[in-house]
């Protein structure tokens, strides 16, 4: 694919669908949708339970959030599926909601697809006026750490 | 005096203005007695840093107030005017004489901030829930996702009176040499950090503190469960260790004015200081302003 301007780089289909739901919703509905993502964020699987030291802490989030990435074995980045795991406390629902969006939109995609997600993806959900631009930096930081981990684990 | 104003808790009765603070038990009793939400009843407001937290479950009968959307002017870096404040109050069934109890997350920072804004408009009876949301949850008390529908009330258009409790940058410049309390973390005070630990950068060009400020991180006024320390402990800290006096003219500041609202509340209502102003421009303004002095 030719290098397109960063702002025009497409989102993966699943993430784009979520972005469309958010951008077409009014302010109150945006918060309701975000709450659904927060409620539905799955807990950590047994192998990570109580082992937050094996996850990476995202300091830019206003409440503690931990994440890690697993990448399936394979020869080509296009064939190696990425799995995402998050942990955030219930008293941080906005942070959980951001994690839920990324998990729903990216889990199961290939390493190549995750690495191609534009860095400004968190700004495409029309969330700035509902949750403030400052809080969105937490989601930007989560995405950059996810991509960095995928890069490190496929190097 | 109406029975709803009395509180049977020795710690709270010892404060200079005990009518500004209620316990979780007091609130639970008022809810059980049907005194919350009804006509002429108490109105309970949740004011959080996390905009979604109220929706995940809140104290039964409580309404949400968002400091960003409801209390800040969308264009000017300032609070809403009297007309908008009257709308926000009226929609929540709050009249000028209504008893309002505010609580929130993060040790009541944003609750104290909302209470301070209510005070700019001279709302007479506004109180904090000691321990905030975290204590209510820790005690296993009821939370609900039901959002009440209040009967709208008439709230008068009150003029905001900033001068007694709010300081602007020029006021602080004129105040240099008099007591200033910096309530940020030690690393922010020393200039090593430009934001509080674990928080995103809210950019300032320089790190440090306002010349002459003493460092009293806000958390020193709170117990581990988020409740305020006793009057005796607070006096030992601010009067004893820091040498402040209730007669002093004091300005408190932090990064954007929310943590210093917590300290403003402690000095004004718990210790009875008569002239405390909150500098809400705080370090995000001072650390970026041209030609103002800083100290490291």
């Amino acid at each position: 694919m030719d290098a397109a301007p960063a702002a025009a780089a497409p989102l993966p289909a699943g993430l784009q669908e979520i972005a469309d739901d958010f951008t077409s919703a009014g302010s109150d509905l945006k918060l309701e949708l975000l709450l659904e993502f927060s409620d539905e964020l799955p807990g950590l699987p047994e192998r990570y339970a109580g082992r937050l030291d094996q996850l990476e802490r995202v300091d830019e989030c206003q409440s503690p959030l931990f994440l890690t990435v697993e990448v399936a074995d394979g020869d080509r980045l296009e064939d190696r599926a990425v799995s995402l795991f998050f942990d955030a406390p219930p008293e941080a629902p906005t942070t959980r909601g951001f994690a839920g969006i990324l998990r729903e939109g990216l889990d199961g995609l290939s390493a190549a697809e995750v690495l191609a997600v534009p860095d400004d993806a968190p700004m495409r959900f029309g969330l700035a006026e509902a949750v403030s631009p400052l809080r969105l930096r937490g989601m930007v930081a989560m995405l950059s750490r996810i991509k960095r981990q995928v890069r490190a684990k496929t190097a | 005096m109406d029975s709803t104003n009395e509180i049977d808790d020795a710690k709270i009765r010892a404060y200079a203005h005990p009518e500004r603070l209620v316990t979780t038990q007091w609130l639970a009793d008022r809810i059980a007695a049907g005194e919350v939400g009804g006509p002429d009843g108490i109105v309970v407001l949740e004011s959080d840093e996390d905009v979604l937290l109220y929706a995940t479950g809140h104290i039964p009968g409580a309404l949400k107030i968002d400091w960003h959307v409801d209390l800040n002017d969308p264009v000017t870096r300032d609070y809403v005017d009297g007309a908008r404040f009257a709308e926000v109050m009226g929609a929540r069934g709050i009249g000028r004489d209504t008893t309002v109890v505010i609580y929130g997350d993060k040790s009541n920072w944003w609750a104290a901030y909302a209470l301070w804004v209510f005070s700019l408009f001279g709302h007479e009876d506004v109180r904090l829930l000691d321990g905030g949301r975290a204590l209510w949850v820790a005690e296993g008390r009821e939370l609900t996702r039901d959002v009440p529908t209040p009967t709208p009330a008439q709230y008068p258009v009150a003029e905001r009176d900033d001068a007694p409790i709010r300081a602007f940058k020029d006021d602080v410049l004129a105040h240099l040499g008099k007591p200033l309390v910096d309530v940020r973390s030690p690393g922010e005070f020393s200039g090593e950090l430009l934001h509080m630990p674990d928080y995103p950068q809210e950019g300032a060009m320089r790190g440090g503190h306002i010349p002459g400020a003493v460092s009293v991180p806000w958390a020193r006024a709170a117990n581990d469960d988020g409740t305020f320390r006793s009057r005796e402990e607070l006096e030992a800290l601010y009067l004893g260790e820091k040498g402040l006096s209730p007669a002093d003219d004091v300005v408190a500041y932090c990064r954007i004015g929310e943590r210093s609202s917590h300290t403003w509340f402690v000095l004004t209502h718990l210790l009875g200081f008569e002239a405390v102003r909150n500098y809400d421009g705080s370090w995000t303004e001072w650390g970026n302003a041209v030609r103002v002095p800083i100290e490291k």
Side-chain angles (χ1 to χ4, degrees):
Chain A
M1 185 197 272
D2 291 337
L11 297 180
L15 202 57
Q16 184 61 52
E17 215 172 286
I18 299 171
D20 291 343
D21 287 347
F22 272 101
T23 48
S24 64
S27 193
D28 284 351
L29 198 54
K30 279 188 177 62
L31 291 183
E32 263 178 54
L33 272 174
L34 195 58
L35 182 60
E36 282 173 31
F37 280 102
S38 172
D39 284 343
E40 288 161 15
L41 181 70
L44 289 174
E46 195 59 39
R47 61 187 181 281
Y48 290 117
R51 310 184 68 179
L52 289 182
D53 55 315
Q54 298 202 345
L55 279 69
E56 181 176 5
R57 183 186 166 122
V58 181
D59 289 322
E60 292 87 342
C61 290
Q62 300 206 355
S63 299
L65 175 108
F66 296 84
L67 65 82
T68 196
V69 161
E70 290 178 3
V71 185
D73 291 338
D75 296 328
R76 295 167 3 110
L77 287 180
E78 287 75 11
D79 301 329
R80 301 180 64 182
V82 172
S83 306
L84 301 173
F85 303 93
F86 296 92
D87 185 76
E91 63 270 21
T94 299
T95 298
R96 288 179 61 87
F98 293 162
I101 290 172
L102 292 175
R103 188 180 182 282
E104 179 78 18
L106 304 180
D107 192 69
L109 297 186
S110 71
E113 287 169 311
V114 171
L115 291 176
V117 175
D119 293 333
D120 72 342
M123 302 305 167
R124 302 199 197 171
F125 293 80
L127 279 168
E129 81 267 27
V131 306
S132 97
L134 177 66
R135 293 183 176 109
L136 278 175
R137 292 190 207 167
M139 191 169 170
V140 171
M142 283 182 216
L143 177 61
S144 76
R145 279 171 168 75
I146 289 167
K147 290 172 68 174
R148 193 166 51 73
Q149 286 201 21
V150 169
R151 218 171 280 126
K153 288 170 182 176
T154 55
Chain B
M1 182 185 266
D2 149 10
S3 70
T4 60
N5 287 328
E6 286 170 14
I7 193 141
D8 180 28
D9 183 291
K11 184 192 93 163
I12 289 184
R13 278 189 280 113
Y15 292 132
H17 299 288
E19 72 281 6
R20 292 296 180 177
L21 204 57
V22 303
T23 61
T24 49
Q25 187 58 49
W26 180 92
L27 183 56
D29 290 346
R30 300 279 83 72
I31 293 169
E35 291 176 36
V36 169
D40 302 322
I42 298 163
V43 172
V44 180
L45 299 176
E46 177 161 338
S47 174
D48 293 321
E49 186 274 320
D50 192 306
V51 284
L52 273 186
L53 196 51
Y54 171 86
T56 67
H58 47 263
I59 295 178
L63 297 160
K64 177 180 175 178
I65 190 158
D66 184 315
W67 67 276
H68 195 249
V69 175
D70 298 319
L71 300 178
N72 275 8
D73 184 279
V75 180
T76 314
R77 184 176 169 183
D78 200 358
Y79 302 100
V80 292
D81 61 14
R84 175 67 187 141
F85 186 72
E87 275 174 42
V88 170
M89 296 296 97
R92 287 163 181 73
I94 298 171
R96 193 66 169 160
D97 300 326
T98 301
T99 297
V100 177
V101 174
I102 311 182
Y103 72 98
D105 63 353
K106 305 270 164 71
S107 303
N108 270 339
W109 288 353
W110 277 267
Y113 197 18
L115 182 144
W116 176 75
V117 175
F118 274 57
S119 306
L120 293 174
F121 287 98
H123 189 91
E124 200 65 46
D125 189 0
V126 56
R127 314 169 183 202
L128 283 187
L129 175 68
D130 199 21
R133 180 185 168 97
L135 182 62
W136 184 272
V137 171
E139 291 173 340
R141 298 184 187 273
E142 187 187 351
L143 293 177
T144 178
R145 286 194 175 193
D146 293 342
V147 176
T149 312
T151 308
Q154 284 296 322
Y155 196 92
V157 175
E159 195 165 333
R160 212 180 65 215
D161 185 9
D162 292 336
I165 61 169
R166 184 180 186 196
F168 294 96
K169 188 186 89 200
D170 287 345
D171 300 326
V172 179
L173 280 167
H175 184 83
L176 293 180
K178 291 190 208 161
L180 275 155
V181 180
D182 184 314
V183 319
R184 297 172 302 159
S185 56
E188 292 171 277
F189 183 79
S190 70
E192 182 192 329
L193 287 177
L194 284 168
H195 59 109
M196 64 179 123
D198 303 341
Y199 265 60
Q201 290 274 359
E202 281 174 15
M205 296 295 288
R206 291 162 305 158
H209 54 264
I210 300 178
V214 293
S215 169
V216 191
W218 70 273
R220 295 194 61 192
N223 293 307
D224 289 345
D225 65 1
T227 55
F228 289 104
R229 291 193 184 276
S230 69
R231 182 165 188 177
E232 208 176 12
E233 292 168 313
L234 294 173
E235 284 181 346
L237 172 60
Y238 294 99
L239 278 55
E241 186 183 323
K242 299 298 172 187
L244 296 173
S245 148
D248 284 341
D249 178 6
V250 181
V251 169
Y253 72 95
C254 58
R255 183 187 49 120
I256 57 168
E258 88 291 23
R259 285 175 288 175
S260 48
S261 302
H262 188 273
T263 297
W264 169 85
F265 183 88
V266 168
L267 295 176
T268 301
H269 293 315
L270 305 187
L271 294 179
F273 280 49
E274 281 165 21
V276 183
R277 284 174 293 167
N278 182 25
Y279 170 37
D280 59 279
S282 275
W283 198 257
T284 52
E285 177 178 52
W286 195 272
N288 285 316
V290 175
R291 284 201 159 170
V292 303
I294 64 158
E295 215 170 68
K296 281 184 186 268

